Amino acid sequence: MSTPSFHEQIARMRDPMAVPIARHDWSASPLGRPDAWPPALRTLVGLMLASDQAMAVAWGPQRTLIYNHAYADRLAGHPAALGRDARAVDVDLAPLIERAFAGEPASHRRPGIALSCTPVCDPDGTVVGAFASGIPSQDTGARRGDRAEEARRETEERYRLVARATNDAVWDWRIADGHVIWNAALATLFGHPQRDTDADWWLDHIHPDDRQRVGDSIHAVIDGEADSDGDGNGDGDRVNWSAEYRFRRADGSHAHVLDRGTVLRDESGTAVRMIGAMLDLTERRRMGERLRQSEARYRTLFESIESGFCVVEVRLDARIDYRVIEANPAFHRQTGFPEDVIGRWLREAAPALEEEWYDIYGRVARTGVPERFEQGSIALGRWFDVYAFRIGEADDRRVAILFNDISARRNAEEQLRQLNETLEAQVAERTADRDRMWRLSTDIMLVAQFEGTITAVNPAWTALLGWQEQDLIGRSFLDLVHPDDGAATADAAAALSDGTTIGRFENRYRTRDHGYRWISWTAVPGAGLIHAVGRDVTAERERQVALEAAQEQLRQAQKMEAVGQLTGGIAHDFNNLLTGVIGSLDMMQRRIARGELDRIERYATTAMTSANRAAALTHRLLAFSRRQPLDPKPVNANRLVTGMEELLRRTIGEAVRLEIVTAGGLWQTLCDPHQLESAILNLAINARDAMPTGGILTIETCNAHLDGAYAARQRDVRPGQYVCICVTDTGTGMTRETIEKAFEPFFTTKPIGQGTGLGLSMIYGFARQSEGYARIYSELGQGSTIKLYLPRHHGAADQDEADAAGLTEEHRAEHGEVVLVVEDETAVRDLVVELLQELGYRAIEASDGPSGLQLLQSSLHIDLLVTDVGLPGLNGRQLADAARQHRPGLKVLFMTGYAENAAVANGFLDPGMAMITKPFAIDALATRIRDIIGTEG
């Protein structure tokens, strides 16, 4: 047998007010239907209707009034007062209610009755109602004791009624002796036999994790402290207490309970008694969790479905109207209604909406019969597939609507219908358009089989190539293709047969008069055939060829101009240098002729200085051409840079501050140290010139690892580990155009006569010869940074070379070693032979490669071969290779000023070979000869 609803329980109670309360339309009030009332309100209403004492409840923000028959007798506004605001219908009760809602008990005496009003709190301690009760009173003082006793009996009666009427576990705790009285719900709810207990038994059955909190909150109320609900926020009072905790059942499990109690105090304010009720929340929590999960699933489905969904409330007046009270996001997307349409009546919100919608939803709300239909709306500009059905009670007049926007489908259907009606005319029109295009196009059009047989051509073939249609139909188009283009054309036809579209393909087609024209084709496969359109690009091709020829002529002219600049610049510089050499030698001859030898050394020094400057110029030219013979060695860039500090400071002057920053743990690099010094010095001079008013010159060293991604974005850069020498100035900077041309030979921004334009070209050439590269970073007005990247060297470091100090006994021959000198330049050969003889060597000479080879193939003892690289007939390297076939251990010293095959010494030299660059100092040659002969071979 099912449990009667609370609404039914009210109707069965004996109080005369039970029937009016049950029949009252509570759905129109803030409280809603009685079955949905909060448990506390239902308990109080049950208590009222079971009691003969005057009682009333004011509930919620609107203070909705409910009262029993005993209270109605004392209420002037009865029966209209039921369900209204208590403050408006009972002026004596109004101030008591407001004090109760403020959390304070209140009382008032009026003729014949004493009213008391107590706050009612929800589980979180918020006051949600006021409970009022009235006790009959008389005004004579003699009856005061009787009234007190009568009030006590009434209170006891109320307590018994509450204990019987509620399903809560009601308890009465005498604080003085700890005695606790329980009602029967202790057994029905928790399985414990109904009996009196003490407070310790009660506390022992509270879960250990909750026990301290609950005990503290109870005593906070008893002791008159601020926190009565145990949440630590100090928002309680000295009368009412509530807490949620876990209470142990008889079977050992724990129930979640909401416990509420009220403290009773004597005249001195001492707490003597506490009465409360324990509500089992376990099932409610379980149902609430299931409800939350169900709500979450519903909300997820509601929000995520692509179909539009809404619930509308229908008003069945003379003119039916409805409003949307709930809608998912798809509702707005599919209808186009704005967000603010929710809650508004549609006749006002969408006055242009068709009448059919109101009729359909009104019919569903009235009859309860679902309807499935398709309906279009001119106002919304859409078509919908709709399913509408009534939900809730019939009096709710609510309809749920599930729909989809089918405008695209309906439009497609309409277009298909119209297409079917006009298809024949459209086909004829399009066929005529295609025929006109076929006939009038100036581009040639072709339809052919994949193997090449032509099946259709347009008239443009005759106009462009001279072929008539009858000349081409049935013929292979490959017969007309230029022989050099035949293979590529056949490959393109094969690709078309595989389904590939050809976007641009060019070949040459033969004309009827045996000429050829370039055709650019676009072709697609379709229906087992090739469909192609070709455009004559012969004129474009000819223009391109002419343009390329003109560009080549321009490049040649630029090259000749560069050669002219180079020739003029070199002639100018060499004339200056030769003037110093020739003039000094002339003055030496004059002085010697007159026997004046005191100033001979000065003229010799001047001649040597000019000659060395000429040698430096040739090195710069060779570096620019990347044909400079280098002598790479392991180099510590930190030591090299710091060793140049004094030279750099003298070069840049006092107006420029020099800062040298060397990296710790710097790797070694393999390069020609002298050329690296020259590059750094050149960069320092350029930086000085870029800072005419002074500034800061910074030279830094660091290790750099360039990965593949960086190298791919640069030109001529290989990924790997590099040593970086960075020269930065705070000067005028460069424009982007200047940076792009800076490494070009002869390019200079300096005034005429102040620069040759070879400095940065030499530096770039040196870096590329050393398998590194150079980069410029600069902004106009912000200074410049030039970085030299040289590859890391993993070999052992060379020892520092001692500075040459002229010819000494260490340069002399030890055992009269034999040296063969092969040099085609007589002056150079005689100089070397004379030096060798002076140092005690036995010198043999030859003027060319073949004569030198004869000596090497003879039985003469030879310890060292000194040979020029650029010999006539047989060059130096060929001579050395041929000699080593007969003398495998022969030591060789190459002399060179230009070495096409010796760009880097270690790529040209075998073990036992060395190189010296012309022009060379006599002591440098003597040192190199002594080192080679002294080396174990």
Side-chain angles (χ1 to χ4, degrees):
M1 185 175 181
S2 62
T3 303
S5 67
F6 182 66
H7 186 272
E8 294 171 339
Q9 293 178 25
I10 293 175
R12 296 175 183 177
M13 301 191 77
R14 61 183 178 82
D15 191 289
M17 279 299 296
V19 173
I21 291 174
R23 291 179 177 176
H24 189 78
D25 184 9
W26 295 105
S27 61
S29 75
L31 299 183
R33 293 189 179 87
D35 291 333
W37 288 354
L41 177 59
R42 285 186 285 175
T43 299
L44 291 173
V45 171
L47 172 65
M48 287 190 308
L49 298 179
S51 175
D52 293 330
Q53 184 177 341
M55 296 183 183
V57 174
W59 198 264
Q62 286 76 25
R63 313 295 193 257
T64 304
L65 181 64
I66 307 174
Y67 50 89
N68 63 0
H69 180 71
Y71 194 91
D73 290 344
R74 296 165 175 79
L75 188 62
H78 174 72
L82 184 64
R84 293 179 59 192
D85 189 328
R87 296 167 295 187
V89 297
D90 193 337
V91 294
D92 293 333
L93 187 61
L96 306 185
I97 291 174
E98 291 311 300
R99 287 182 61 187
F101 268 88
E104 301 178 8
S107 61
H108 173 72
R109 184 181 300 276
R110 64 185 181 186
I113 189 169
L115 290 175
S116 64
C117 196
T118 304
V120 181
C121 300
D122 65 5
D124 64 4
T126 302
V127 177
V128 294
F131 178 67
S133 61
I135 302 174
S137 65
Q138 296 181 8
D139 295 331
T140 60
R143 295 295 304 271
R144 288 177 183 173
D146 293 339
R147 286 199 304 272
E149 178 60 24
E150 183 179 355
R152 186 188 65 78
R153 286 196 302 271
E154 287 290 344
T155 301
E156 293 290 346
E157 176 63 17
R158 287 200 304 272
Y159 167 72
R160 286 192 297 273
L161 288 172
V162 170
R164 287 197 306 268
T166 183
N167 291 326
D168 296 352
V170 179
W171 46 268
D172 185 351
W173 174 25
R174 291 201 303 267
I175 297 175
D177 59 6
H179 187 74
V180 181
I181 302 172
W182 299 84
N183 71 342
L186 183 67
T188 58
L189 292 179
F190 308 115
H192 298 293
Q194 182 183 1
R195 62 187 178 89
D196 295 353
T197 69
D198 56 22
D200 291 338
W201 179 91
W202 178 17
L203 288 173
D204 287 344
H205 281 71
I206 297 175
H207 193 282
D209 293 344
D210 303 334
R211 190 174 299 151
Q212 183 67 39
R213 172 176 58 82
V214 174
D216 290 347
S217 66
I218 291 175
H219 286 288
V221 177
I222 293 173
D223 297 340
E225 297 176 3
D227 192 11
S228 63
D229 50 7
D231 59 4
N233 61 15
D235 58 353
D237 57 39
R238 301 177 69 253
V239 177
N240 298 305
W241 166 82
S242 67
E244 283 193 31
Y245 57 87
R246 288 163 288 181
F247 186 77
R248 189 171 73 246
R249 299 187 181 97
D251 61 5
S253 63
H254 284 82
H256 285 271
V257 300
L258 169 63
D259 208 349
R260 296 93 66 208
T262 300
V263 176
L264 305 179
R265 301 179 185 274
D266 59 16
E267 294 178 354
S268 67
T270 302
V272 296
R273 190 173 174 188
M274 193 170 183
I275 300 174
M278 187 188 298
L279 174 64
D280 187 354
L281 300 176
T282 305
E283 184 60 28
R284 183 182 300 177
R285 281 192 168 213
R286 189 178 299 116
M287 293 177 64
E289 181 60 28
R290 287 199 295 267
L291 180 61
R292 281 191 296 272
Q293 293 176 357
S294 176
E295 174 65 20
R297 288 193 297 269
Y298 163 74
R299 183 56 55 185
T300 300
L301 177 63
F302 184 76
E303 298 289 342
S304 61
I305 60 173
E306 291 298 323
S307 298
F309 180 77
C310 65
V311 176
V312 302
E313 179 183 342
V314 181
R315 187 165 62 192
L316 299 175
D317 295 339
R319 294 189 71 200
I320 299 172
D321 201 354
Y322 67 92
R323 61 182 174 184
V324 180
I325 60 175
E326 187 175 11
N328 70 342
F331 167 83
H332 299 283
R333 290 197 304 269
Q334 296 205 28
T335 62
F337 279 129
E339 294 286 343
D340 62 2
V341 77
I342 305 298
R344 298 175 59 192
W345 295 102
L346 264 294
R347 289 196 182 274
E348 175 189 350
L353 192 65
E354 293 79 6
E355 197 68 30
E356 290 85 350
W357 300 102
Y358 300 100
D359 295 339
I360 294 171
Y361 297 148
R363 187 165 56 250
V364 173
R366 185 169 47 252
T367 65
V369 178
E371 292 197 22
R372 179 71 177 264
F373 60 94
E374 289 186 3
Q375 179 71 31
S377 171
I378 297 175
L380 300 180
R382 311 178 190 218
W383 272 85
F384 300 97
D385 176 14
V386 184
Y387 178 62
F389 54 96
R390 191 172 69 188
I391 59 173
E393 300 295 331
D395 292 343
D396 294 340
R397 301 179 298 279
R398 292 187 175 182
V399 176
I401 305 167
L402 184 67
F403 63 92
N404 287 288
D405 183 353
I406 59 170
S407 304
R409 193 198 78 197
R410 293 291 299 223
N411 291 338
E413 291 173 351
E414 179 61 21
Q415 291 174 4
L416 180 60
R417 183 188 63 78
Q418 294 177 1
L419 178 63
N420 289 333
E421 294 175 354
T422 62
L423 180 59
E424 184 176 352
Q426 291 180 13
V427 169
E429 182 180 354
R430 291 178 182 177
T431 301
D433 290 341
R434 187 179 63 183
D435 289 344
R436 280 193 296 271
M437 183 181 298
W438 180 269
R439 293 193 309 272
L440 300 177
S441 174
T442 58
D443 292 337
I444 59 176
M445 297 183 180
L446 167 75
V447 179
Q449 297 176 359
F450 289 121
E451 82 281 357
T453 302
I454 299 173
T455 61
V457 293
N458 71 333
W461 281 81
T462 303
L464 182 63
L465 301 177
W467 297 106
Q468 298 293 329
E469 182 178 7
Q470 58 269 22
D471 297 332
L472 300 173
I473 301 301
R475 187 175 182 178
S476 174
F477 59 73
L478 295 173
D479 296 341
L480 304 174
V481 174
H482 191 283
D484 294 343
D485 302 334
T489 304
D491 291 342
L496 285 165
S497 67
D498 292 336
T500 303
T501 296
I502 303 297
R504 182 181 177 88
F505 175 77
E506 294 185 0
N507 59 6
R508 286 163 288 183
Y509 266 69
R510 180 161 47 88
T511 64
R512 190 177 182 87
D513 57 4
H514 303 291
Y516 283 95
R517 299 197 70 82
W518 280 98
I519 307 297
S520 178
W521 294 98
T522 299
V524 296
L529 296 170
I530 297 173
H531 301 267
V533 178
R535 182 170 58 88
D536 183 9
V537 293
T538 305
E540 295 177 14
R541 281 275 187 161
E542 291 173 349
R543 286 195 297 271
Q544 182 64 29
V545 170
L547 177 61
E548 291 174 356
Q551 289 175 339
E552 181 60 27
Q553 291 176 359
L554 176 60
R555 282 193 291 270
Q556 291 298 327
Q558 290 172 335
K559 289 180 182 179
M560 294 306 296
E561 181 182 358
V563 171
Q565 290 178 347
L566 175 62
T567 309
I570 292 173
H572 176 270
D573 288 346
F574 264 104
N575 282 335
N576 290 335
L577 296 172
L578 289 174
T579 299
V581 174
I582 295 171
S584 296
L585 293 176
D586 186 30
M587 291 300 295
M588 288 174 63
Q589 287 179 339
R590 292 173 183 270
R591 294 284 183 175
I592 293 172
R594 293 199 300 266
E596 298 175 358
L597 304 180
D598 55 333
R599 303 186 68 179
I600 295 297
E601 183 178 355
R602 191 186 76 173
Y603 294 129
T605 301
T606 301
M608 287 295 295
T609 300
S610 296
N612 287 331
R613 288 175 61 195
L617 178 59
T618 60
H619 278 292
R620 292 172 68 187
L621 290 171
L622 290 171
F624 151 65
S625 65
R626 303 187 193 178
R627 292 172 178 174
Q628 175 187 14
L630 302 180
D631 187 11
K633 298 177 182 178
V635 173
N636 183 314
N638 281 349
R639 190 157 54 234
L640 184 142
V641 171
T642 54
M644 296 179 64
E645 182 173 359
E646 185 62 29
L647 172 62
L648 291 170
R649 291 190 187 279
R650 289 200 308 269
T651 302
I652 62 178
E654 296 181 354
V656 177
R657 189 171 83 235
L658 174 65
E659 295 183 357
I660 296 178
V661 182
T662 57
L666 188 70
W667 300 324
Q668 289 191 114
T669 184
L670 188 68
C671 69
D672 189 322
H674 301 298
Q675 294 299 325
L676 179 56
E677 287 178 346
S678 177
I680 294 173
L681 184 59
N682 266 290
L683 292 175
I685 292 172
N686 286 346
R688 178 201 64 191
D689 295 343
M691 298 183 288
T693 60
I696 301 174
L697 170 64
T698 305
I699 302 177
E700 301 174 80
T701 62
C702 64
N703 297 326
H705 181 84
L706 307 181
D707 59 17
Y710 175 84
R713 295 193 300 269
Q714 306 298 323
R715 186 177 63 183
D716 301 329
V717 176
R718 292 186 298 180
Q721 295 176 326
Y722 290 82
V723 173
C724 178
I725 297 98
C726 177
V727 179
T728 301
D729 65 65
T730 58
T732 56
M734 305 183 219
T735 64
R736 182 177 298 276
E737 294 75 14
T738 301
I739 293 173
E740 292 175 353
K741 298 178 181 179
F743 288 134
E744 294 180 4
F746 316 117
F747 177 79
T748 180
T749 57
K750 298 178 182 178
I752 296 175
Q754 296 186 20
T756 63
L758 293 178
L760 287 178
S761 297
M762 180 272 291
I763 294 169
Y764 184 76
F766 158 68
R768 297 299 297 150
Q769 276 187 281
S770 302
E771 299 183 357
Y773 73 103
R775 285 290 181 270
I776 300 176
Y777 305 90
S778 181
E779 290 186 17
L780 198 62
Q782 301 297 319
S784 302
T785 296
I786 299 180
K787 294 184 178 181
L788 294 180
Y789 291 89
L790 301 174
R792 180 184 182 182
H793 175 60
H794 293 277
D798 277 4
Q799 297 296 323
D800 292 343
E801 294 183 0
D803 293 337
L807 295 177
T808 66
E809 288 299 318
E810 294 180 357
H811 295 100
R812 299 187 63 81
E814 296 180 353
H815 307 292
E817 291 88 344
V818 178
V819 179
L820 172 59
V821 179
V822 184
E823 169 62 66
D824 61 325
E825 183 66 37
T826 302
V828 177
R829 185 173 69 249
D830 291 345
L831 177 65
V832 175
V833 168
E834 183 178 349
L835 173 64
L836 291 170
Q837 291 172 348
E838 182 180 332
L839 294 175
Y841 294 98
R842 290 180 57 201
I844 305 172
E845 58 182 296
S847 62
D848 55 34
S851 59
L853 183 59
Q854 289 180 0
L855 294 173
L856 288 166
Q857 291 176 341
S858 69
S859 60
L860 287 174
H861 175 77
I862 298 175
D863 295 293
L864 173 65
L865 168 64
V866 178
T867 178
D868 185 29
V869 174
L871 292 172
L874 192 68
N875 66 38
R877 181 55 196 251
Q878 293 170 336
L879 175 63
D881 291 341
R884 282 199 167 186
Q885 293 180 5
H886 300 280
R887 301 171 186 263
L890 179 65
K891 298 174 181 177
V892 182
L893 174 62
F894 293 104
M895 300 180 296
T896 182
Y898 176 82
E900 178 72 34
N901 299 318
V904 178
N906 66 341
F908 176 78
L909 303 177
D910 292 336
M913 295 181 178
M915 179 181 289
I916 189 168
T917 304
K918 297 177 183 178
F920 45 74
I922 297 301
D923 53 353
L925 175 62
T927 300
R928 186 61 61 91
I929 291 173
R930 181 69 265 162
D931 290 344
I932 296 173
I933 291 179
T935 303
E936 295 292 333

